[in-house]
Amino acid sequence: MNPEMWHTVDDYISSTLIGPDTALDATLAASDHAGLRAINVAPNQGKFLHLLARIHGARRILEIGTLGGYSAIWLARALPADGALISLEADADTAKIARDNIASAGLADKVTVITGLAADSLHELIRNGTAPFDLIFIDADKSGNPDYLRLTLQLARAGTVMVADNVVRSGRVADRSSNEPDAVGIRRYFDMLAAAPGIDSTAVQTVGIKGWDGFAISIVSDPAAASAALR
Ligand code: SAH
Ligand code: DHB
Ligand code: MG
């Protein structure tokens, strides 16, 4: 393990394949200025999410955990002109910063940031009969992942892709002696993915400027069957 090399390679990848980006750079600067923790996805991870959304042809995206809007901007840029992204953020001040950043990036017409605990907002979206999402990115409190899976399945269709960030946590996910809420939440999330019919999943580990972590990725084929099994 050589975290210094992980940084060097991430910088190499991002400088060769991504390069500077006025709106995203301004988003990180404004987020830093506002005192937000720099726990947004890395540039190459943001572009990975963006490409995934384009590969999938996503028109409706749901994000759980907005922070300053960095990943939301990457994802929203993948949308067609009439596409929409809804992002859920618990903290009202953080949500305001994100809305400002998203507006500066020219994406205000496609993105809605909803303030409130994600579980409450998800219940509200379900109650309102919100149309299903094509892509769902789960990236808030990891202890909430089991709830977010149960709830987002009610906002999914056959073909919905789900991605969860931070599922490795420097290996803690596989350390059964770790009782940290994030590790426990992620293990429960994995167990639920494994147990439910109608959803196929894997996870990949990542190293880079975010340390040692990973993404879980799933495709839902039968949201009703998955929901029923997880009740
Ligand atoms: N997706 C962002 C990073 C999100 S960081 C990016 O990559 O750019 C996690 C965010 O989830 C934080 O802003 C935090 O305030 C928010 N959060 C934590 N618990 C939450 C909850 N229960 N409901 C909604 N948002 C929550
Ligand atoms: C942390 C990193 C994340 O990407 C995230 O979504 C939440 C927390 C962290 O490093 O603490
Ligand atoms: Mg994250």
Side-chain angles (χ1 to χ4, degrees):
M1 285 213 287
N2 184 345
E4 208 173 301
M5 277 301 287
W6 301 350
H7 276 248
T8 304
V9 173
D10 253 12
D11 290 345
Y12 167 74
I13 292 168
S14 294
S15 63
T16 40
L17 297 178
I18 303 174
D21 184 303
T22 309
L24 289 168
D25 295 346
T27 288
L28 293 182
S31 300
D32 183 54
H33 188 253
L36 299 188
R37 291 173 64 212
I39 55 174
N40 51 274
V41 295
N44 50 346
Q45 295 177 330
K47 188 153 184 191
F48 172 77
L49 295 170
H50 167 91
L51 292 172
L52 194 62
R54 281 174 55 195
I55 290 164
H56 187 45
R59 310 177 71 84
R60 292 178 51 75
I61 299 175
L62 174 65
E63 175 178 74
I64 305 178
T66 319
L67 194 67
Y70 184 81
S71 55
I73 290 170
W74 270 118
L75 285 166
R77 283 178 174 175
L79 291 168
D82 62 345
L85 180 147
I86 294 177
S87 186
L88 312 180
E89 172 54 51
D91 183 72
D93 295 332
T94 301
K96 190 196 172 313
I97 293 155
R99 287 187 197 103
D100 290 347
N101 287 332
I102 289 160
S104 299
L107 293 162
D109 55 333
K110 288 180 182 161
V111 179
T112 306
V113 179
I114 300 177
T115 303
L117 293 176
D120 294 343
S121 301
L122 291 168
H123 277 119
E124 187 70 13
L125 291 170
I126 294 163
R127 204 161 34 237
N128 293 342
T130 305
F133 294 93
D134 307 309
L135 179 77
I136 298 173
F137 178 49
I138 302 177
D139 191 22
D141 54 322
K142 313 312 166 195
S143 56
N145 278 26
D147 278 344
Y148 302 150
L149 176 58
R150 238 179 246 110
L151 292 166
T152 55
L153 279 170
Q154 297 174 58
L155 295 163
R157 59 166 172 87
T160 294
V161 170
M162 293 195 184
V163 181
D165 192 24
N166 311 112
V167 300
V168 174
R169 309 267 65 200
S170 302
R172 287 197 297 284
V173 67
D175 174 6
R176 294 270 166 191
S177 70
S178 168
N179 290 320
E180 286 173 70
D182 60 349
V184 172
I186 294 158
R187 278 204 293 273
R188 181 83 196 109
Y189 181 75
F190 274 62
D191 289 343
M192 290 167 70
L193 292 176
I199 181 165
D200 272 317
S201 308
T202 189
V204 287
Q205 303 184 67
T206 55
V207 295
I209 61 170
K210 303 294 306 288
W212 175 23
D213 221 320
F215 291 107
I217 182 163
S218 308
I219 185 161
V220 180
S221 55
D222 189 341
S227 278
L230 296 178
R231 242 193 286 279

